Amino acid sequence: MKTIRLIAITVLAVTALTILGAHYLAPAGYEQQFRETPQAAPSMHHLLGTDELGRDRWARLLYGMRVSLTLAPLAALFTTALAGLVGGIAGYFGGWTERCCKLLIDLFLSVPWLFLLITVRAVLPLNVSPEASVTVTFALLGLLGWAASARVICAGAKDLMKSEFVWMARASGFSGLKLIRLHLMPNLRGALLAQFWISIPVFIIAEANLGALGLGVAEPLPSLGSLLRELQDSVMVRPEPWRLLPLAVLIVVISSFQVLLNKQEIRN
Amino acid sequence: MKRHYLVSTIVLLGAISTFAQSGGELRFCLRAEPKTFNPLLVEDEASETIRYLTGGVLVRVNRLTLKAEPELATSWKVSEGGKRIRFKLREGLKYSDGTPFAAEDVAYTMQQLMDPALHSSTGDAFRSAEGKLTTNVVSAKEIEIDFPAPVANLVNLFDTVAILSAKSPQKEMAALGPFYVAERKAGSYLLLKRNPYYWKKDAAGKQLPYLDSIRLDIEQNPEIEAMRYKRGEVQLINTVSPAIFEKLSADNASVRDAGASTDTEQLWFNQVPGAPLPVYKKSWFASTNFRRAISEAINRNDLARIVYRGHAVPAIGIISPSNKFWFNSDLKPHAYDTADALRRLQQDGFHLQGETLKDKAGNAVEFSIATNAGNRARESMATMIQQDLKKIGIKVNVVTLDFNSLLERMTQSYNYEACLLGFQNVELDPNSQMAVWLSSADNHQWNPNQKSPATPWEAEIDKLMRAQAASGDEHKRKQYWDRVQQIAWEQEPFIYLINKDALVAIAPAVKNAEPSVFRPQTFWNVETLALAH
Amino acid sequence: MLRFWSGAVLRLLAVMLMASFAGAMLMRIAPGFSSDDQELNSGLSAQSIQAIRRAHLVDSDIPHFYGQYIASLVRGDLGTSRSLNQPVKELLRERLPVTMVNLAFALSVGWLLGLALAIAAQTWDIPALSFLANGLSGTFISIPAAALALVFLLLRWPPAFAAALLVFPKIYRYTQNLLQQSSEMPHVLTARAKGAGPWRILTWHVAPIAFPQIMALVGVSISIGIGVLLPIEVVSDVAGIGQLAWQAAQARDLPLLVNLTMVVTFVTVCATLISDAAQRGFKRSAA
């Protein structure tokens, strides 16, 4: 198991380095169109070939990773914090508070938020930069994605509140913040972490899907999501394995995160 | 054109004798569920397909020769300067449920169609002035229709009028065309069966259509459609995207490029005076020099070559050269010339400062191009234009919006700067462009619903458009329309980008197919299509 | 018991009403509510275009629309879809079973896989097994629903199976975590020290502690199932409610959207209620 952990650490380190060094590693700008060689196969000039507009796929992958792998975890962190807050409050207080929170959760899971996103796009100025647009998108995802996690956290917290050691802690005078910090949080940590890394790929993909509504990254900025969306337009692709690389990168990076977090969890 | 027709007729007759025996089921896909089965209310493409396959029309425009050919009417005569048309009808015809067809049905259909409360584009095409239409059933096989004002292109308009039965208990589902709707499962498929009472016979006297049935699967995803075509599950694709076309042809599937279509893709700037945009931007967009400079800075050849993989031609103007009669052949393609573009911009006081273009007042030139999300080709074109314009110091932001949001910006709030969209030109006659080119029209996109023309050239276009609509003389109309094309070429309110090719896929098993660039490309001659076993 | 269920029904109704009303409001506020692609049809006269716009504005007073909708809903009339020109009731009758069957399949297969692997990994300490299970769940958790749907389309496998594989990692991860935590609790450690076998520990000591949270996960998994199934339906062209919802959203089809929100809310809230009830029932029997 130790080797797996090592591999995971290496993967993440390499990812972090490539993200930071995208500017130096990319042979060309992500937006530069080599119009004489659209859809080229991998070569010395273009390691992963070029896309349909002749842009270097390798450069786009590097910058796409930078965008998605920095913003998606941030959004996931935010959403997990919200879920922890609402779920935690519901579980800690119980009774009416819990009922209200659950109602809110149900409501959040049922409302078609799509239209809120469309409205936000309408409110944003047209000449907003691609970077700002993608940041707003991830912020929205973080703001809207907490409900499902909150329910799980709530169930966990409620259970803990009834467990013996919390009773004992209460009996020995622990209450409020201290109880939450020393007893609830450490025991909810597993559930929270699980929600955290489940959210990351979900957000990366959601960002791509929102492209269909004009949110998310705008051309020419790439994101992992927008690179994956290009895959959707090619069900019939004859085997061109290098086109699947964004998907492979996503799987490897997320898996590495999971391996690492899992281990930490067990160690605790 | 004539010789082409002759050749195709000979080929057709030859094919008919070879495949007269085949029946079978033809299968192809609809991209969406038909919204209506009432042929008078057809607006969407799926309903249009059903109307084409099931409706009986008085005249049919041959999609290769573009000439009107007799169908339910054996002959017709236009008189009173285009206000009156008299049809002689075929006798002894029956609807698919056995109800006999008579002149009353034509009268009934026309009355229904022209009911102002119906709001159908089929009916609106006949509406050149206020007033009521009168129908006069002269005899069981003859009818006279009077319009309140002359209607341009009158005969060809009847190509879209499927004649309803006034008496059939099945109402609009009773078909006079080669097929009728026999079965449907919402969201999944439609089954059309041959109309047993269909009147047309082939040269050998065999009753048409050759096919027993047509199965239309509802399939929204063109990739899946292409995959099913490759597997032989469907036999036709009416419009193939260039990327899929290339993939299919690389896999040796049968695909054809029927040549440039009449559809256009264009870019335009918002010139609405009340638009919520900065005043300096409005003045850029209103400048002819600015628009022409942008047009010259766009490399249309690259758009056609890269985005459409060579299956498109750089557009010249309103009318595609494939619309041979109406195209103004004096117009030449807009040159790609960044130096000249900069020269034009300088005339308006624009200047390059470093790598940024600035206007007279020193504002950096930056604008957004909005297009509908989900259309890869348009997104790609916008991205290429973004890079093209960067070369003359202009910063372009590409904004993709869902279609309804974009529409609201285009037609209600006018909160956009430039827009990239495509128009389908189904009708070839200039009269069908009235709603676009009249300055008072809704579809005068760059500045719609004007009380009075905002510019002298729009005033001139208004005059020319009205003149062509009122004239019965085709050559005069052509002159007026040529001048409109000329003005549009010079002013470029729409910066036309490319004309797409009509790309189709027809399985080798489908015999007698003669794809046309005009809709419905692959099955316009459906009654003579046959399947080889 | 009666109090619980009457409360549950009230909650269900309240959420359904609030969610569908909020959905209607959001659609009204979002741009494009009164737009119709027919406005670009140059064959239509100015009067016809005006008529189309007016028709779209009929429902623009949402409280009024909603009141009327509820009134006819009580009579069993769900209204008519604006974009598809068909009674909503008919559309739901045709499409709902498709989605429900797929959802049931995806959930049962997803749960079966997830639980089996989690329990196996917990019970037998075989590194290869947990490595495999972790690898599988890690892979499927990172694959976008739409991409997996495409792969399945190519292989001609049922789309519901793709949904099952996407539900599975969430079940697996979560139950595995729970089992892990529960097995580290003092009484379990004591039992183990006393020499209880792995099965006995699982069934007698671990499962009872983990059970309520697993039950809560049932509800969540239904939401997750719907969440992955709907995009899969759109990609694979399954004529279910996911596809319908996407069409309704694009065409700003208010009557259709309100009804679909009702349906999705009904399923989601029922799922929550089921898990709540299961937890209560469990506690009662445990007490």
Side-chain angles (χ1 to χ4, degrees):
Chain A
M1 289 319 251
K2 228 176 180 167
T3 25
I4 297 177
R5 225 186 127 201
L6 252 161
I7 295 172
I9 292 177
T10 323
V11 167
L12 290 179
V14 170
T15 311
L17 280 177
T18 41
I19 287 177
L20 289 174
H23 184 66
Y24 304 100
L25 288 166
Y30 59 80
E31 82 288 2
Q32 194 177 343
Q33 298 166 5
F34 296 93
R35 293 192 178 176
E36 293 317 308
T37 50
Q39 305 184 75
S43 66
M44 281 306 288
H45 290 291
H46 305 291
L47 282 179
L48 292 177
T50 57
D51 72 359
E52 50 190 7
L53 297 185
R55 295 177 295 194
D56 188 276
R57 279 185 196 280
W58 171 235
R60 289 185 71 70
L61 180 61
L62 287 178
Y63 282 97
M65 281 163 65
R66 175 189 269 189
V67 169
S68 294
L69 295 179
T70 27
L71 291 178
L74 281 178
L77 195 68
F78 185 56
T79 222
T80 314
L82 269 180
L85 194 70
V86 178
I89 287 175
Y92 182 76
F93 291 104
W96 269 104
T97 321
E98 185 195 342
R99 251 170 269 168
C100 286
C101 285
K102 278 191 165 167
L103 200 72
L104 190 70
I105 291 172
D106 282 338
L107 200 60
F108 244 79
L109 284 174
S110 311
V111 171
W113 291 112
L114 187 82
F115 297 105
L116 179 74
L117 298 169
I118 295 177
T119 311
V120 168
R121 171 67 260 193
V123 175
L124 281 181
L126 282 167
N127 280 311
V128 69
S129 75
E131 291 82 4
S133 158
V134 72
T135 310
V136 169
T137 307
F138 275 112
L140 276 172
L141 289 174
L143 204 64
L144 298 176
W146 56 270
S149 310
R151 190 187 298 159
V152 177
I153 306 295
C154 169
K158 207 173 136 190
D159 243 66
L160 278 172
M161 288 304 290
K162 286 178 186 152
S163 67
E164 273 173 48
F165 66 93
V166 172
W167 279 88
M168 263 152 55
R170 276 186 154 171
S172 44
F174 283 104
S175 68
L177 275 179
K178 208 165 183 187
L179 184 71
I180 293 176
R181 191 164 56 83
L182 289 179
H183 293 279
L184 279 186
M185 276 330 216
N187 284 296
L188 281 175
R189 199 175 167 151
L192 283 170
L193 275 177
Q195 295 308 320
F196 171 72
W197 40 251
I198 282 176
S199 305
I200 296 176
V202 170
F203 286 168
I204 289 178
I205 305 319
E207 181 267 316
N209 291 338
L210 289 179
L213 302 175
L215 277 163
V217 288
E219 291 282 8
L221 190 71
S223 70
L224 270 185
S226 71
L227 295 173
L228 286 172
R229 199 152 71 92
E230 281 171 26
L231 267 186
Q232 283 194 33
D233 295 321
S234 47
V235 186
M236 308 208 319
V237 218
R238 279 155 295 121
E240 284 179 351
W242 62 87
R243 300 186 62 167
L244 295 171
L245 204 70
L247 189 60
V249 165
L250 185 64
I251 292 175
V252 169
V253 172
I254 303 286
S255 302
S256 307
F257 260 117
Q258 289 170 18
V259 168
L260 225 61
L261 290 171
N262 249 4
K263 292 301 140 188
Q264 279 176 359
E265 174 53 22
I266 287 166
R267 215 178 36 197
N268 282 329
Chain B
M1 189 67 98
K2 255 214 174 96
R3 213 173 66 200
H4 190 173
Y5 180 47
L6 195 70
V7 172
S8 63
T9 314
I10 292 169
V11 171
L12 204 76
L13 288 175
I16 284 165
S17 51
T18 325
F19 295 102
Q21 293 310 312
S22 54
E25 182 173 88
L26 179 73
R27 275 163 296 162
F28 61 97
C29 295
L30 294 177
R31 288 280 160 77
E33 192 140 357
K35 285 188 184 169
T36 176
F37 287 100
N38 183 345
L40 308 182
L41 288 174
V42 167
E43 307 291 353
D44 57 304
E45 203 162 336
S47 309
E48 167 84 53
T49 300
I50 304 297
R51 178 172 74 184
Y52 194 91
L53 295 172
T54 61
V57 292
L58 295 170
V59 297
R60 180 62 90 203
V61 175
N62 182 305
R63 298 307 202 252
L64 292 180
T65 63
L66 301 181
K67 292 275 181 289
E69 292 174 355
E71 284 276 309
L72 301 178
T74 51
S75 66
W76 54 86
K77 193 167 175 249
V78 180
S79 56
E80 311 276 317
K83 275 166 74 174
R84 169 177 295 172
I85 188 163
R86 190 183 181 112
F87 288 106
K88 240 190 207 131
L89 305 175
R90 236 170 260 280
E91 287 176 274
L93 308 190
K94 283 180 184 168
Y95 284 88
S96 55
D97 64 343
T99 314
F101 161 72
E104 281 80 12
D105 295 320
V106 180
Y108 168 77
T109 305
M110 288 311 291
Q111 292 297 351
Q112 294 276 312
L113 181 66
M114 299 309 287
D115 177 356
L118 190 70
H119 299 301
S120 112
S121 64
T122 317
D124 284 351
F126 288 95
R127 218 182 300 277
S128 55
E130 294 294 317
K132 272 187 77 97
L133 151 136
T134 53
T135 49
N136 176 18
V137 177
V138 182
S139 70
K141 56 168 196 168
E142 226 168 327
I143 185 166
E144 210 168 64
I145 305 167
D146 284 285
F147 295 91
V151 181
N153 190 32
L154 179 58
V155 178
N156 286 5
L157 288 180
F158 281 93
D159 177 79
T160 53
V161 184
I163 304 300
L164 299 175
S165 169
K167 298 195 197 91
S168 166
Q170 288 191 8
K171 298 204 167 125
E172 73 243 20
M173 299 309 281
L176 256 184
F179 297 92
Y180 71 96
V181 180
E183 217 181 292
R184 65 179 293 222
K185 186 166 186 312
S188 171
Y189 73 93
L190 284 140
L191 185 68
L192 310 188
K193 287 198 171 143
R194 68 183 303 159
N195 174 1
Y197 298 106
Y198 190 54
W199 56 275
K200 213 185 269 184
K201 294 190 166 58
D202 69 7
K206 185 177 160 56
Q207 203 200 338
L208 294 172
Y210 293 137
L211 297 166
D212 288 333
S213 55
I214 298 180
R215 188 187 156 101
L216 302 166
D217 286 326
I218 294 158
E219 181 61 76
Q220 296 175 345
N221 186 336
E223 296 272 341
I224 301 178
E225 184 185 24
M227 207 160 67
R228 298 184 58 191
Y229 176 75
K230 228 166 69 177
R231 289 177 184 150
E233 293 170 8
V234 294
Q235 290 127 351
L236 296 179
I237 306 179
N238 234 11
T239 40
V240 183
S241 77
I244 291 178
F245 186 92
E246 290 298 308
K247 284 182 214 157
L248 283 175
S249 79
D251 290 346
N252 290 320
S254 159
V255 280
R256 294 190 221 181
D257 183 337
S261 72
T262 49
D263 296 352
T264 54
E265 294 285 324
Q266 62 244 47
L267 175 77
W268 72 88
F269 289 102
N270 181 356
Q271 298 188 48
V272 178
L277 300 176
V279 178
Y280 63 90
K281 283 197 176 180
K282 283 191 210 172
S283 75
W284 302 345
F285 302 156
S287 149
T288 308
N289 270 329
F290 181 81
R291 294 192 303 267
R292 290 205 62 174
I294 299 293
S295 171
E296 278 182 326
I298 295 173
N299 189 336
R300 291 177 172 81
N301 280 318
D302 275 3
L303 297 182
R305 181 173 58 86
I306 294 173
V307 179
Y308 290 90
R309 326 249 168 141
H311 299 291
V313 289
I316 298 171
I318 309 172
I319 293 293
S320 149
S322 62
N323 186 353
K324 292 195 181 70
F325 179 78
W326 293 108
F327 173 64
N328 180 351
S329 51
D330 291 340
L331 300 179
K332 297 289 166 259
H334 295 276
Y336 168 59
D337 189 344
T338 44
D340 198 53
L342 280 170
R343 185 190 59 79
R344 277 182 197 279
L345 287 167
Q346 269 155 13
Q347 282 179 2
D348 269 20
F350 290 94
H351 55 280
L352 271 175
Q353 205 171 75
E355 292 200 333
T356 311
L357 188 74
K358 302 237 162 133
D359 70 0
K360 254 187 296 197
N363 299 303
V365 181
E366 176 181 359
F367 60 83
S368 60
I369 297 181
T371 188
N372 62 318
N375 187 317
R376 291 287 304 168
R378 285 187 196 137
E379 285 173 34
S380 296
M381 280 200 285
T383 313
M384 291 189 73
I385 292 171
Q386 186 179 45
Q387 180 154 328
D388 280 341
L389 296 187
K390 201 173 154 191
K391 288 185 196 146
I392 56 168
I394 296 178
K395 184 172 180 226
V396 170
N397 298 301
V398 177
V399 181
T400 53
L401 297 167
D402 86 295
F403 201 79
N404 274 42
S405 307
L406 181 62
L407 259 179
E408 183 170 310
R409 283 176 189 267
M410 275 166 57
T411 60
Q412 292 172 36
S413 68
Y414 305 120
N415 184 6
Y416 72 98
E417 293 172 346
C419 181
L420 197 168
L421 269 187
F423 289 162
Q424 289 187 352
N425 295 306
V426 181
E427 291 287 333
L428 302 180
D429 193 273
N431 223 36
S432 65
Q433 300 264 358
M434 290 289 270
V436 178
W437 291 95
L438 284 184
S439 60
S440 57
D442 286 279
N443 277 310
H444 195 70
Q445 295 306 349
W446 65 90
N447 185 8
N449 306 321
Q450 299 174 31
K451 296 269 177 295
S452 61
T455 59
W457 56 269
E458 281 172 291
E460 192 184 348
I461 290 181
D462 280 359
K463 231 189 305 172
L464 291 162
M465 287 308 285
R466 292 212 173 87
Q468 71 77 28
S471 169
D473 178 354
E474 283 227 327
H475 289 279
K476 270 231 171 91
R477 293 183 65 212
K478 168 89 166 108
Q479 274 174 15
Y480 297 138
W481 186 227
D482 276 353
R483 177 70 190 134
V484 174
Q485 292 178 59
Q486 172 85 33
I487 298 170
W489 191 93
E490 286 161 3
Q491 296 295 334
E492 298 203 79
F494 283 140
I495 298 175
Y496 289 95
L497 301 170
I498 51 98
N499 292 119
K500 295 183 271 190
D501 284 6
L503 304 177
V504 300
I506 302 173
V510 180
K511 300 300 171 191
N512 307 339
E514 284 184 285
S516 154
V517 296
F518 304 107
R519 288 183 181 76
Q521 297 87 338
T522 51
F523 57 89
W524 65 271
N525 55 343
V526 66
E527 59 230 344
T528 55
L529 290 184
L531 285 172
H533 296 296
Chain C
M1 197 63 185
L2 189 70
R3 220 178 119 218
F4 172 78
W5 284 111
S6 56
V9 171
L10 265 177
R11 179 168 145 202
L12 176 66
L13 285 178
V15 177
M16 279 170 75
L17 289 177
M18 284 194 287
S20 55
F21 185 73
M25 277 315 266
L26 281 174
M27 185 189 255
R28 176 70 189 90
I29 295 166
F33 177 76
S34 60
S35 301
D36 188 302
D37 53 4
Q38 281 310 317
E39 288 177 50
L40 294 186
N41 185 339
S42 59
L44 283 170
S45 66
Q47 287 82 354
S48 298
I49 289 178
Q50 285 309 320
I52 289 171
R53 284 196 190 145
R54 272 198 305 276
H56 274 259
L57 285 170
V58 165
D59 295 335
S60 60
D61 181 0
I62 294 295
H64 181 245
F65 160 82
Y66 200 75
Q68 279 190 332
Y69 165 73
I70 295 294
S72 50
L73 185 69
V74 174
R75 292 194 305 270
D77 175 15
L78 303 184
T80 306
S81 153
R82 199 160 74 175
S83 62
L84 294 169
N85 234 335
Q86 274 187 68
V88 175
K89 208 180 201 170
E90 216 169 276
L91 285 167
L92 288 181
R93 195 182 300 139
E94 281 157 356
R95 308 239 180 174
L96 202 54
V98 179
T99 303
M100 286 302 149
V101 168
N102 283 334
L103 184 65
F105 178 85
L107 285 180
S108 35
V109 174
W111 268 92
L112 211 67
L113 262 175
L115 268 184
L117 280 176
I119 291 173
Q122 185 63 36
T123 317
W124 302 291
D125 196 13
I126 308 170
L129 185 71
S130 58
F131 178 67
L132 179 82
N134 281 331
L136 273 182
S137 72
T139 307
F140 285 116
I141 222 168
S142 333
I143 295 188
L148 194 66
L150 286 177
V151 175
F152 272 57
L153 211 62
L154 263 181
L155 299 171
R156 295 180 122 181
W157 290 353
F161 193 51
L165 286 182
L166 293 169
V167 172
F168 141 74
K170 282 146 198 162
I171 310 292
Y172 168 76
R173 292 274 161 176
Y174 195 72
T175 37
Q176 196 238 10
N177 243 316
L178 272 178
L179 295 179
Q180 185 82 45
Q181 277 179 12
S182 316
S183 68
E184 281 164 12
M185 291 213 152
H187 73 282
V188 181
L189 293 176
T190 322
R192 193 171 287 151
K194 282 183 180 168
W199 262 116
R200 195 179 161 81
I201 289 181
L202 183 74
T203 48
W204 278 72
H205 302 282
V206 175
I209 298 173
F211 189 74
Q213 287 204 55
I214 291 187
M215 274 294 119
L217 188 63
V218 172
V220 177
S221 74
I222 294 180
S223 313
I224 294 173
I226 292 182
V228 296
L229 196 58
L230 299 194
I232 289 178
E233 277 188 1
V234 175
V235 173
S236 331
D237 258 324
V238 176
I241 57 165
Q243 200 192 43
L244 203 58
W246 183 234
Q247 282 171 3
Q250 280 183 315
R252 306 289 195 274
D253 192 333
L254 191 59
L256 189 53
L257 179 97
V258 169
N259 281 299
L260 285 173
T261 311
M262 285 271 193
V263 171
V264 173
T265 312
F266 179 79
V267 177
T268 322
V269 178
C270 279
T272 325
L273 289 175
I274 290 168
S275 42
D276 281 4
Q279 281 182 56
R280 280 174 63 93
F282 171 77
K283 269 166 213 153
R284 201 177 301 258
S285 63

